[in-house]
Amino acid sequence: MRTRPQLRDVTKPLGQAAVGALTIGILRAARHFDPTKTANLFARITRSIGPMMREQKTGRTNLTAAFPEKSPAEIETILAGVWDNLGRVGAEFAHLDHIWNYDPAQPEASSIEIDRRSYELFAQLRLDGKPALIFASHLANWELPALAAVAHGLDTAILYRRPNIASADRIVQDMRAVKMGTLIPAGRDAPLRLAEALKSGQHVGMLVDQYLTNGVEVTFFGRKTRANPMLARLLRQIECPIHGVRVIRLPGQGFRGELSEEVKPVRDAAGQIDIQGTMQAVTSVIEGWIREYPDQWLWLHRRWR
């Protein structure tokens, strides 16, 4: 008779295959339906089932710690928005190849808004002949910053995390590859590949707002946590401009894309890039973004441990 761990080892691949097949089926089916109606449907579903999941408790704990001045009712309202946003992200993923349709000649007809300064900064990055490091966070639809870079003519390499399920990874990578430049999966060789991309003049983009056990200590919403130092370590190898890009979800189905001014790195007494100080500067920018739109950030993971 097999023990319980042995049964888990046998059934886990079957379960992953089933989840992968379901993911593929949902994504393919969603492409055949109106994206707005599908996003509304997915949002209703996640708003309904989200509060029953264990991540609800994590989100509530995180929000209460980050915003001690907010009432329990305000916290719950933000959490409802978090689940709403997450459902929309899932629906929008099926339409990644055509969701970014900004036309500077007809901005009023676009579903994406870009302010004049951000447009100027995108043009500057495209024309200055330099590589750049571009960071983003899990705000609104966090897949869109990569689309924004390519849409504005930037030769870009994007660091991404593969799904744990191989079958789902294939379709996810196919969808991302359409308009996201060079995709580099997180792994042991990722820092080397990203450094090579910078040396070749590419713009390197990455999400930097998740907890990393072996990361550097930073302060986030007044509490100590750990951030992935990869961006600052790359900067120490290849000095170049740093910018943050965020996408804000607007009422209806539109978005606004914003590219920050250059974020100045912190240097030590010898003039070298200070890894911890630079990651704190980046983290502070992200905190400012989240304070403006707390219901659009993914509070459902453990940012403080």
Side-chain angles (χ1 to χ4, degrees):
M1 181 178 293
R2 286 176 172 163
T3 65
R4 185 171 296 179
Q6 288 175 326
L7 286 173
R8 280 201 300 267
D9 291 341
V10 172
T11 58
K12 185 176 180 179
L14 296 176
Q16 289 185 337
V19 172
L22 179 62
T23 301
I24 293 170
I26 291 173
L27 288 174
R28 286 178 174 166
R31 289 180 63 82
H32 298 289
F33 294 92
D34 177 85
T36 299
K37 292 181 179 178
T38 305
N40 290 338
L41 173 61
F42 277 39
R44 286 197 297 272
I45 292 172
T46 50
R47 284 177 74 109
S48 297
I49 67 174
M52 296 182 285
M53 301 179 71
R54 64 182 181 182
E55 286 80 5
Q56 175 81 351
K57 182 179 179 180
T58 300
R60 185 182 295 118
T61 300
N62 286 340
L63 280 163
T64 302
F67 298 103
E69 75 281 4
K70 293 190 181 297
S71 68
E74 289 174 311
I75 296 296
E76 295 305 313
T77 298
I78 294 173
L79 265 177
V82 172
W83 288 112
D84 184 283
N85 182 70
L86 185 59
R88 294 181 188 280
V89 171
E92 290 156 359
F93 196 91
H95 301 276
L96 276 182
D97 54 345
H98 58 265
I99 196 172
W100 191 279
N101 67 344
Y102 176 71
D103 182 356
Q106 294 182 300
E108 70 284 350
S110 305
S111 63
I112 308 293
E113 295 180 7
I114 301 288
D115 63 89
R116 181 179 295 275
R117 181 54 181 159
S118 292
Y119 190 76
E120 291 172 351
L121 288 168
F122 274 121
Q124 177 181 307
L125 287 175
R126 185 177 69 250
L127 300 172
D128 65 8
K130 302 176 185 177
L133 283 159
I134 302 175
F135 64 88
S137 67
H138 288 81
L139 267 169
N141 189 321
W142 47 88
E143 300 286 346
L144 298 189
L147 296 178
V150 175
H152 287 273
L154 303 186
D155 184 8
T156 308
I158 303 297
L159 178 69
Y160 82 102
R161 182 178 177 181
R162 281 178 166 151
N164 293 329
I165 302 169
S167 56
D169 176 40
R170 286 191 292 273
I171 189 170
V172 166
Q173 187 167 352
D174 288 345
M175 288 183 169
R176 282 175 167 158
V178 176
K179 293 184 178 180
M180 285 193 177
T182 304
L183 294 175
I184 297 178
R188 288 185 178 181
D189 66 340
L192 177 60
R193 293 182 63 185
L194 292 171
E196 290 173 346
L198 287 171
K199 289 176 183 177
S200 69
Q202 284 187 290
H203 302 81
V204 166
M206 64 185 73
L207 292 160
V208 296
D209 59 340
Q210 288 186 308
Y211 183 91
L212 183 69
T213 302
N214 297 320
V216 295
E217 188 175 84
V218 294
T219 300
F220 185 60
F221 283 89
R223 304 176 70 198
K224 298 296 183 182
T225 185
R226 293 193 174 274
N228 190 331
M230 187 184 297
L231 182 145
R233 286 177 177 167
L234 286 169
L235 188 65
R236 196 176 253 192
Q237 295 180 60
I238 301 100
E239 291 213 21
C240 61
I242 309 171
H243 291 267
V245 61
R246 70 168 173 173
V247 170
I248 299 162
R249 188 180 297 281
L250 302 175
Q253 295 302 313
F255 297 92
R256 182 167 69 250
E258 295 179 353
L259 186 63
S260 78
E261 298 290 339
E262 185 176 347
V263 177
K264 297 298 183 181
V266 177
R267 297 180 184 274
D268 60 23
Q272 269 201 322
I273 298 298
D274 183 306
I275 303 294
Q276 183 177 17
T278 298
M279 291 315 302
Q280 181 62 67
V282 167
T283 300
S284 296
V285 171
I286 293 172
E287 179 180 327
W289 291 347
I290 297 169
R291 286 187 180 278
E292 287 189 68
Y293 300 93
D295 59 332
Q296 295 191 23
W297 192 60
L298 192 64
W299 292 95
L300 307 177
H301 59 87
R302 294 174 60 202
R303 190 63 180 93
W304 298 280
R305 304 183 190 185

